[in-house]
Amino acid sequence: MSTIAIESSLQEDRLFSPPPNLSKTARIGSLEEYQRLHDRAVTDPEEFWGELAENELHWFQKWEKVLDWQPPYARWFVGGKLNVAYNCLDRHLTPERRDKPALIWEGEPGDTRILTYQQLHREVCEIANALKKLGVQKGDRVGIYLPMIPEAAIAMLACVRIGAIHSVVFGGFSAEALKDRLNDARAKIVITADGGWRKGAIVHLKHQVDVALADGGVPSVETVLVVKRTGQPIHFDPDRDRWWDDLQEEFADTDCPAEPMDAEDPIFILYTSGTTGKPKGVVHATGGYNLYTHITTKWAFDLQDTDIFWCTADVGWITGHSYIVYGPLSNGATTVMYEGAPSTANPGCLWDVVEKHRVTIFYTAPTAIRLFMKLGEEFPNARDLSSLRLLGSVGEPINPTAWMWYYRVIGGERCPIVDTWWQTETGGAMLTPLPGATPTKPGSATLPFPGIVADVVDLDGNPVGENEGGYLVVKQPWPSMIRTVYNNPDRYLSTYWDKIPPKDGQWFYFSGDGARRDKDGYFWVMGRVDDVINVAGHRLGTMEVESALVSHPAVTEAAVVGKPSDIKGEEIVAFVTLEADYTPSEDLEKDLKQHVVREIGALARPAAIQFTEALPKTRSGKIVRRILRALAAGEAVTGDTSTLEDRSVLDKLRG
């Protein structure tokens, strides 16, 4: 049993009730109220979601049908028309809210910008008009490769305002990874910056774009729009590159009506790792995504009009899409964006932001929490964190020890912790406490959000018993569910719907995560069951890293597994077989690690590489990864090894 599993079992009877003063004013104030919402959503999901859509969003045209479910394909709010940028900006331009801060931005060097709803609306309209002048039309794909600066949110909102489909690529990805994603999306324009700041250094984003586009690497790209952030010299192609500021000034027209979009029009494509070498382009639809991110932000975080909401994720990930940009702004909230990251030179930077801007809701990853623990309590203790009223966790299961530290040191034992489970494919939080209603247990994501029907089943779709491990599935469609994998509908079926076949008319969305339910029905997510490694909350496909290694001329074969890490949750360990002309060495190990960085990005750098003459395989040629995982973790190899083609390989690996 893993350390996390042991910790979890010790915490199952430890309940933390919602603070009574919070429950009194909460959006959902009791477990009984939650149960009524949940039961109603299960009994009549169309009425439940239809009423929320009508009351919570602005529609240019109301839908004809709430849900058209042709398993495994869903269409939500069929015939309805709306625009997400309108719901995030225009409807908040009232005398009461137009001067309210929409976005508070803190740069790593200490520069600050605060954009009100009126100011953000103006800048979005200017860039939206500039994109149209550059030939971007409804349905075109726009690549966004930016640091954590306001222009990232502005670019996203400008795209959805005119009906373009954005595809944001995390700024930590390499030129090669960027090229793959831009080519798959067939992006017409790329929006980037000269660079960005992170841990005291400049990240050279424009250079990476230049490398990706070199020699016709992405033939669909016509224009590169460049934000001036750091001011360092960059290569500038006058026939292709344009400065953001110049275009904003040239097309300084704040009149840009929001394009009425069909509810099922794609809003964005976001690439996530899978079990093959090729990332999956997850497609989300306008209406369902807008509603689900809006209502989960409102209920799961008990969002009030006075809150300062800070999700520390990068906008390059789904968490940043849903809970930095679209969810908070749709609710008319104030959202915080920070460019930097904690480092040994600046270990208290996040707490400085909380203190400076009086943040009330703080949503971060277990990886960050474990880093805070390692850095020491003296840094948060030296800041005034009294403004905080709610804490959140996202990205991977949080171990109970980190949960308790977070609750005690950061929350002062007064702030409920909203421990959320969800995925790029789900669009928003699926398992989550409601802070005014749900008693919490350290390490458990607790119960499904109202309208989500989740279960833990075996591979035949049968529910497993109490505290028995199984596969986490969703058994009823929800508005923000993935619609397809871009350019690859077969992969959509095989990844999410074919793993557990339909049973008696019941379809199962396969999450790829293992879980169990305790005696109270609480969900405990135990991590990935497929070949995906969760490094610091970032999903990386083992095949993607293996493909990068094998592309090096020295490597004939590679197998990658995850090893438990106190800080990152998991780290990458690679087992590598070399070509005959190469011999193992420290220099070669360093070169292979750097090669992976060049191919994918620094987040995929292996923590260790073990050279081996051969890999443990079955007689059919399948690599037995559980053996490699045990070896990487320093654990004994257990289970049946009789199927190995050559058992001497195991002895050599041990030895």
Side-chain angles (χ1 to χ4, degrees), residues 26 40 77 214 224 262 270 456 547 563 570 578:
R40 182 174 164 229
F77 311 112
V224 178
D262 188 271
L270 187 57
V456 181
S547 296
K563 173 186 175 183
E570 283 186 289
L578 298 176

Side-chain angles (χ1 to χ4, degrees), residues 1-9 12 396-397 421 443 468-470 472 512-517 523-529 570:
M1 182 180 268
S2 69
T3 302
I4 290 178
I6 293 170
E7 280 192 79
S8 300
S9 65
E12 281 184 11
E396 58 182 302
W421 172 85
E468 289 185 21
L472 180 55
D513 279 330
R516 61 183 176 86
R517 297 180 78 175
F523 286 79
W524 298 78
V525 180
M526 309 310 292
R528 300 299 297 176
V529 297
E570 283 186 289

Side-chain angles (χ1 to χ4, degrees), residues 624-643:
V624 185
R625 295 178 185 277
R626 65 175 175 81
I627 290 176
L628 298 179
R629 279 192 286 268
L631 292 169
E635 299 172 351
V637 175
T638 58
D640 183 19
T641 59
S642 62
T643 59

Side-chain angles (χ1 to χ4, degrees), residues 143-147 169-175 178 190-193 205 208-209:
I144 299 175
Y145 186 64
L146 284 168
V169 179
F170 172 54
F173 276 124
S174 69
L178 173 65
V190 178
I191 303 175
T192 190
L205 296 170
Q208 297 282 49
V209 172

Side-chain angles (χ1 to χ4, degrees), residues 12 35 104 196 312 329 378 394-395 421 523 605 630:
E12 281 184 11
Q35 196 63 52
I104 296 174
T312 68
L329 294 178
E378 61 268 28
V394 62
W421 172 85
F523 286 79
R605 183 197 306 271

Side-chain angles (χ1 to χ4, degrees), residues 46 50 53 59 61-68 75-81 262-263:
E46 292 192 41
W59 296 82
Q61 178 178 306
K62 190 176 177 180
W63 55 89
E64 300 158 6
K65 184 178 177 61
V66 172
L67 172 63
D68 177 20
R75 294 195 304 151
W76 284 88
F77 311 112
V78 180
K81 295 190 181 299
D262 188 271

Side-chain angles (χ1 to χ4, degrees), residues 55 57 64 74 139 239 277 282 326 396 422 434 448 466 490 500 585:
N55 293 337
L57 300 182
E64 300 158 6
D239 295 326
V282 171
Y326 295 117
E396 58 182 302
W422 58 294
L434 303 184
E466 179 183 306
D490 291 341
I500 301 176
S585 69

